[in-house]
PDB file of all heavy atoms in Angstrom:
ATOM      1  N   MET A 126     -77.913  51.326-201.540  1.00  0.00           N
ATOM      2  CA  MET A 126     -78.699  50.120-201.692  1.00  0.00           C
ATOM      3  C   MET A 126     -79.567  49.916-200.420  1.00  0.00           C
ATOM      4  O   MET A 126     -79.074  49.850-199.316  1.00  0.00           O
ATOM      5  CB  MET A 126     -77.862  48.824-201.926  1.00  0.00           C
ATOM      6  CG  MET A 126     -78.629  47.573-202.143  1.00  0.00           C
ATOM      7  SD  MET A 126     -77.451  46.266-202.719  1.00  0.00           S
ATOM      8  CE  MET A 126     -76.108  46.390-201.476  1.00  0.00           C
ATOM      9  N   TYR A 292     -77.848  37.946-201.721  1.00  0.00           N
ATOM     10  CA  TYR A 292     -76.988  38.129-202.820  1.00  0.00           C
ATOM     11  C   TYR A 292     -77.227  39.444-203.553  1.00  0.00           C
ATOM     12  O   TYR A 292     -78.304  39.712-203.832  1.00  0.00           O
ATOM     13  CB  TYR A 292     -76.941  36.895-203.766  1.00  0.00           C
ATOM     14  CG  TYR A 292     -76.736  35.561-203.061  1.00  0.00           C
ATOM     15  CD1 TYR A 292     -77.889  34.849-202.678  1.00  0.00           C
ATOM     16  CD2 TYR A 292     -75.522  35.172-202.773  1.00  0.00           C
ATOM     17  CE1 TYR A 292     -77.693  33.674-202.039  1.00  0.00           C
ATOM     18  CE2 TYR A 292     -75.313  33.948-202.108  1.00  0.00           C
ATOM     19  CZ  TYR A 292     -76.455  33.184-201.787  1.00  0.00           C
ATOM     20  OH  TYR A 292     -76.333  31.997-201.090  1.00  0.00           O
ATOM     21  N   SER A 293     -76.277  40.261-203.735  1.00  0.00           N
ATOM     22  CA  SER A 293     -76.460  41.504-204.333  1.00  0.00           C
ATOM     23  C   SER A 293     -75.331  41.985-205.398  1.00  0.00           C
ATOM     24  O   SER A 293     -74.198  41.580-205.194  1.00  0.00           O
ATOM     25  CB  SER A 293     -76.684  42.651-203.254  1.00  0.00           C
ATOM     26  OG  SER A 293     -75.430  42.880-202.659  1.00  0.00           O
ATOM     27  N   LEU A 294     -75.699  42.725-206.264  1.00  0.00           N
ATOM     28  CA  LEU A 294     -74.778  43.352-207.232  1.00  0.00           C
ATOM     29  C   LEU A 294     -75.229  44.903-207.241  1.00  0.00           C
ATOM     30  O   LEU A 294     -76.243  45.189-207.555  1.00  0.00           O
ATOM     31  CB  LEU A 294     -74.803  42.812-208.540  1.00  0.00           C
ATOM     32  CG  LEU A 294     -73.726  43.336-209.595  1.00  0.00           C
ATOM     33  CD1 LEU A 294     -72.328  43.006-209.182  1.00  0.00           C
ATOM     34  CD2 LEU A 294     -74.073  42.632-210.985  1.00  0.00           C
ATOM     35  N   ALA A 311     -77.204  51.994-208.743  1.00  0.00           N
ATOM     36  CA  ALA A 311     -78.029  50.805-209.316  1.00  0.00           C
ATOM     37  C   ALA A 311     -77.762  49.570-208.661  1.00  0.00           C
ATOM     38  O   ALA A 311     -76.658  49.275-208.206  1.00  0.00           O
ATOM     39  CB  ALA A 311     -77.767  50.690-210.786  1.00  0.00           C
ATOM     40  N   TYR A 312     -78.840  48.734-208.320  1.00  0.00           N
ATOM     41  CA  TYR A 312     -78.618  47.663-207.503  1.00  0.00           C
ATOM     42  C   TYR A 312     -79.642  46.416-207.894  1.00  0.00           C
ATOM     43  O   TYR A 312     -80.761  46.750-208.442  1.00  0.00           O
ATOM     44  CB  TYR A 312     -78.796  47.962-206.030  1.00  0.00           C
ATOM     45  CG  TYR A 312     -80.002  48.574-205.577  1.00  0.00           C
ATOM     46  CD1 TYR A 312     -81.216  47.844-205.361  1.00  0.00           C
ATOM     47  CD2 TYR A 312     -80.149  50.054-205.634  1.00  0.00           C
ATOM     48  CE1 TYR A 312     -82.414  48.551-205.038  1.00  0.00           C
ATOM     49  CE2 TYR A 312     -81.402  50.677-205.331  1.00  0.00           C
ATOM     50  CZ  TYR A 312     -82.454  49.883-204.992  1.00  0.00           C
ATOM     51  OH  TYR A 312     -83.607  50.620-204.629  1.00  0.00           O
ATOM     52  N   ALA A 313     -79.125  45.260-207.670  1.00  0.00           N
ATOM     53  CA  ALA A 313     -79.999  44.084-207.749  1.00  0.00           C
ATOM     54  C   ALA A 313     -79.766  43.227-206.584  1.00  0.00           C
ATOM     55  O   ALA A 313     -78.690  42.900-206.242  1.00  0.00           O
ATOM     56  CB  ALA A 313     -79.728  43.305-209.097  1.00  0.00           C
ATOM     57  N   VAL A 314     -80.859  42.764-205.961  1.00  0.00           N
ATOM     58  CA  VAL A 314     -80.744  41.967-204.750  1.00  0.00           C
ATOM     59  C   VAL A 314     -81.669  40.678-204.904  1.00  0.00           C
ATOM     60  O   VAL A 314     -82.818  40.750-205.352  1.00  0.00           O
ATOM     61  CB  VAL A 314     -81.268  42.712-203.450  1.00  0.00           C
ATOM     62  CG1 VAL A 314     -81.014  41.862-202.239  1.00  0.00           C
ATOM     63  CG2 VAL A 314     -80.334  44.058-203.436  1.00  0.00           C
ATOM     64  N   GLN A 315     -81.068  39.605-204.469  1.00  0.00           N
ATOM     65  CA  GLN A 315     -81.876  38.380-204.402  1.00  0.00           C
ATOM     66  C   GLN A 315     -81.755  37.831-202.992  1.00  0.00           C
ATOM     67  O   GLN A 315     -80.563  37.628-202.469  1.00  0.00           O
ATOM     68  CB  GLN A 315     -81.481  37.321-205.322  1.00  0.00           C
ATOM     69  CG  GLN A 315     -82.286  35.993-205.208  1.00  0.00           C
ATOM     70  CD  GLN A 315     -81.942  35.028-206.506  1.00  0.00           C
ATOM     71  OE1 GLN A 315     -82.067  35.291-207.542  1.00  0.00           O
ATOM     72  NE2 GLN A 315     -81.454  33.770-206.027  1.00  0.00           N
ATOM     73  N   ILE A 345     -85.052  42.149-205.945  1.00  0.00           N
ATOM     74  CA  ILE A 345     -85.152  43.550-205.989  1.00  0.00           C
ATOM     75  C   ILE A 345     -84.375  44.216-207.114  1.00  0.00           C
ATOM     76  O   ILE A 345     -83.262  43.743-207.260  1.00  0.00           O
ATOM     77  CB  ILE A 345     -84.840  44.240-204.589  1.00  0.00           C
ATOM     78  CG1 ILE A 345     -85.500  43.562-203.363  1.00  0.00           C
ATOM     79  CG2 ILE A 345     -84.966  45.798-204.541  1.00  0.00           C
ATOM     80  CD1 ILE A 345     -84.987  43.896-202.001  1.00  0.00           C
ATOM     81  N   LEU A 346     -84.961  45.208-207.746  1.00  0.00           N
ATOM     82  CA  LEU A 346     -84.132  45.959-208.654  1.00  0.00           C
ATOM     83  C   LEU A 346     -84.441  47.441-208.276  1.00  0.00           C
ATOM     84  O   LEU A 346     -85.578  47.791-207.957  1.00  0.00           O
ATOM     85  CB  LEU A 346     -84.642  45.761-210.165  1.00  0.00           C
ATOM     86  CG  LEU A 346     -84.398  44.388-210.706  1.00  0.00           C
ATOM     87  CD1 LEU A 346     -85.047  44.245-212.062  1.00  0.00           C
ATOM     88  CD2 LEU A 346     -82.930  44.028-210.828  1.00  0.00           C
TER      89      LEU A 346
END
Side-chain angles (χ1 to χ4, degrees):
M126 181 170 48
Y292 305 93
S293 66
L294 183 65
Y312 54 88
V314 181
Q315 179 173 303
I345 306 175
L346 295 174

